[in-house]
Amino acid sequence: MKKYILSLLLFIAAYIVAMYLTQEYTTLKPAGSAPARLSDFFANLKPKKYTKDLNRLTPIATKRMTPQQEEELRIKQEQERLAQEQARAKAEQIRLAQERRDQIFKEKGLINIETLPVKLFLDIRYATENNFSGKKLYSSDKCYLQKDTADALVKAAQYAAQEERPFYLCLYDCYRPLSAQQALWDIHPVPGQVANPKTGSNHNRGTAVDLGPCDYQGYPLQTPTPFDDFSENAYAYAKEGIPQEAIRNRSALQKVMRKAGFTTIRKEWWHFNYKNAKNYPIVDLDF
C-alpha cells in the first residue's frame, strides 16, 4: 500500500513539473499550438535567454575593397617591407663597422670595455653635447682602455658591488683621441684642468677613466658636483659646503678605485689614472 501511494505521489509530481515546463516553453512555438507528445515537448526545448543571442550570430556582410584600395594596401605593405629590410641592413653595417673598429683598437692594445664580463653603465659625454664644450667631439659612445686598465676597472666594479651600500660605476670618458684633446684645449687652455695635447693626457693613452657612482639602474648618485665642473667643489677632497651624502659617495668611489690600483688627481673627483699610466704610449686613433 505504501509503495502504491509513493508511486502515485511521484507520478503527480512529475506531471506537475511537465505541465509547468510546457507552459514555460510554449512561447517558442506558433501561437495556439502545444506539444501533443512528450517527444514533441523535448524537441522544442530552447531556453528563452538564448533567443536574442542567436540573432547576434547572424553573419554580417563584409564590404569588398575597391581595386584602388587594394592597390593602396599593396603599396603600403611593400613600403613597410622595404623599411624593415633597410633597418636590418643598417644594423648589420653598424655591427660590422664596430667589429672593424674594435679590431683596429685592439691592435693598439685598447679593449672595448663592453666585451668584458662586468656590468658597467656608459654615459660617454664627449659623444654628446652634454659636456663643458657644448660640442659632440666623438662619433662613438664606446669605452676603450688598455687591457690591464680595463681589467682593473672590472675589479673596481666588483669591489663596488661588495660595499656595505653597493653601487655601480657609470663611465663618462675613457680613451680620448688626440683630435678631441686638441679641441678641448682650444676651448679651455688651462693646465691642470685640460691637458695640453703637445704632452698628451692619460686619456690619450687609454690608462685614465672618468666615472661616477650610480644605482643599479644607472642613475647617478649624489656627488659634490656634476662631471666637467671647474669649481673648487670638484676637487677630490673638497668638503666645505658639500652635502655629507655627496662626500660619502665620493669617498666610496675613491676607496674601490684605489683598491683596484687607480690614483686620483687633485682637481677632479671623477678622474682616475691607472698605476704606471705614463709608461704607455699616446695612441692617436679617431673613432
Side-chain angles (χ1 to χ4, degrees), residues 25 28 45-57:
Y25 290 93
L28 297 175
L45 279 181
K46 293 181 180 179
K48 290 181 181 179
K49 63 179 181 180
Y50 292 121
T51 55
K52 292 184 179 179
D53 294 340
L54 291 172
N55 292 335
R56 270 190 257 164
L57 298 178

Side-chain angles (χ1 to χ4, degrees), residues 79-99:
Q79 290 174 340
E80 291 175 351
R81 185 186 65 80
L82 290 174
Q84 292 174 354
E85 288 185 357
Q86 290 172 355
R88 285 193 293 267
K90 184 176 181 181
E92 180 65 10
Q93 289 177 352
I94 293 173
R95 185 187 67 81
L96 292 175
Q98 184 61 54
E99 286 185 356

Side-chain angles (χ1 to χ4, degrees), residues 205-235:
R205 297 179 169 87
T207 55
V209 60
D210 294 341
L211 75 169
C214 60
D215 66 15
Y216 72 99
Q217 292 181 309
Y219 292 107
L221 301 181
Q222 186 179 19
T223 50
T225 67
F227 170 69
D228 260 2
D229 186 286
F230 294 131
S231 70
E232 291 186 0
N233 284 348
Y235 285 18

Side-chain angles (χ1 to χ4, degrees), residues 15 63 67 95 126 149 155 165-166 182 189 200 251 265 269:
Y15 178 78
K63 186 178 180 181
R95 185 187 67 81
Y126 298 123
T149 306
K155 291 181 181 179
R165 293 173 61 180
Q182 183 66 56
S251 298
I265 63 173
W269 63 259

Side-chain angles (χ1 to χ4, degrees), residues 62-92:
T62 56
K63 186 178 180 181
R64 291 180 58 84
M65 289 192 297
T66 65
Q68 180 179 355
Q69 291 173 329
E70 291 179 347
E71 179 64 14
E72 290 175 352
L73 178 60
R74 187 192 66 77
I75 293 174
K76 182 179 179 181
Q77 291 173 338
E78 180 66 13
Q79 290 174 340
E80 291 175 351
R81 185 186 65 80
L82 290 174
Q84 292 174 354
E85 288 185 357
Q86 290 172 355
R88 285 193 293 267
K90 184 176 181 181
E92 180 65 10

